[in-house]
Structure formats: structure tokens, C-alpha cells
Amino acid sequence: HESSRRPRSGTGSCCLVFRSERYLRPWRLAGRIPPQRIETPRLVLRCWEPADAPLFESALRRSREHVGAWIRPALDEPSEPPAIEQRLARFRADFHSGVGFVYAIFDSTERAVLGEAGLMPRLGPRTLEIGYWVHVDHVGRGLATEASHALTEAGLALPEVDRIEIHCDSKNALSAAVPRKLGYHPVSY
């Protein structure tokens, strides 16, 4: 398998594209959305709530430089608390309307934000993209892999989805390791 490299819009960097074809199955429309809450052995992934704003702000403030190296808008963070509350309310509304599915990644007690992950329907019909970031103090512990595995299963359980992709910067070795560990295959466009 060869990895795909294509320029990101507005940048000179490249990204790797991984596709989970081992799960490929026929498409059928059902109109469902993924679960709002997913529990794994170590994590709780759940739809953000506006009340999570202080935990979100703290995690992003601490992880700003680390996340910003790969997700440029993070360098403009953290926003003021009212703006964060509005953003989390929008994430929640988008989740329920099927526009996008952004999850907080919490520890099992739901007292600490360990990152964020999402299933985004921005790559065309029947395809979801998984994106993630992990709190700088928790990098290298397999949390992105555990969360992405759970989101892969949740996404592919939806009757109208037959492909999941993970796009990451080709220089981000930690992020690129996630889809490889999950059995995703590098693809060319």
C-alpha cells in the first residue's frame, strides 16, 4: 500500500490519508446518528455540553502549542468562556442535527478532558472522517487510538456509512500511527 500525499488548502504541508476498507459494506440509508456517549475501557467519549466549557478551556490552554503545531486554529485559543460555551452548544446542536459529531474525550470519571475526537461528514456521501487531538499531558498513551477505534465502530454501525478516513499531516508521526494500529490502509487519491 502506498500513502497518499496531497497539499492541504492554503498550506504547503502534505497529509497522509488512511481508509478503513476492511469494514467496507453495502450502503443503505437509515438516517441514524452515532451514540451521544461511548465508553471504552479507559475513556468516556460524549457529546460536548456548554457546561464543559471550563474543562475544555483548561485542556486547550495547556495543550495550545502542542495542538497548534498540527491544527493551526488552536493557536488562537483559548477563547473567552462565553465563546467556548457557544461553540460547545453549536457542537451539540450539530450533533443532534447530523451535521457533525464532535466528542469530548474524558477519563472514566468525566472530571478531566483528555482531548477531543469527531466523526465529520465532510468527505462526501457515505464517508466520515475521524479527527482528534489529545491533551499534551496524555500524549503517547494510546488514547487517540482507543477513541478512534470506538469512533470507527460507531461510524460504521450507521447504515448510511461505508467508509471512514483519517487524514493527518505527514510530519505528525504520533497521529499517523493511530490509523496504522487500527488496520486502516494508506490510500492515493
Side-chain angles (χ1 to χ4, degrees):
H1 303 284
E2 60 184 271
S3 64
S4 166
R5 295 178 183 264
R6 71 178 175 152
R8 286 185 175 174
S9 176
T11 71
S13 66
C14 295
C15 65
L16 298 173
V17 178
F18 295 87
R19 182 175 292 147
S20 179
E21 294 178 314
R22 67 190 175 108
Y23 295 110
L24 198 61
R25 59 185 165 65
W27 175 77
R28 60 187 169 93
L29 182 62
R32 294 183 3 214
I33 64 171
Q36 292 182 63
R37 180 184 182 89
I38 302 170
E39 295 185 24
T40 72
R42 299 181 294 166
L43 307 174
V44 172
L45 284 73
R46 69 165 168 78
C47 181
W48 285 108
E49 299 173 5
D52 296 325
L55 293 172
F56 176 88
E57 188 273 337
S58 176
L60 199 49
R61 179 180 301 280
R62 176 77 177 104
S63 303
R64 181 179 174 271
E65 296 298 322
H66 167 72
V67 175
W70 310 110
I71 304 171
R72 305 292 282 161
L75 294 174
D76 298 330
E77 294 294 341
S79 299
E80 294 297 318
I84 293 173
E85 288 175 16
Q86 290 173 355
R87 181 183 317 153
L88 299 183
R90 187 179 68 247
F91 286 166
R92 189 167 188 77
D94 287 352
F95 197 107
H96 293 293
S97 67
V99 172
F101 311 102
V102 182
Y103 290 84
I105 303 173
F106 285 98
D107 66 358
S108 61
T109 68
E110 294 184 62
R111 291 189 195 125
V113 170
L114 305 179
E116 180 180 86
L119 287 167
M120 307 308 291
R122 58 184 170 212
L123 298 175
R126 302 187 329 247
T127 303
L128 293 174
E129 178 185 1
I130 292 178
Y132 44 82
W133 63 265
V134 174
H135 188 297
V136 68
D137 294 340
H138 301 281
V139 170
R141 297 181 185 172
L143 303 181
T145 303
E146 190 171 327
S148 295
H149 179 264
L151 291 182
T152 298
E153 296 298 318
L156 291 170
L158 300 172
E160 63 271 30
V161 174
D162 60 19
R163 186 170 65 229
I164 306 275
E165 293 185 9
I166 296 176
H167 296 220
C168 62
D169 190 298
S170 61
K171 296 175 187 146
N172 189 341
L174 288 174
S175 193
V178 170
R180 287 185 179 110
K181 289 177 189 173
L182 294 175
Y184 278 65
H185 305 284
V187 297
S188 298
Y189 275 95

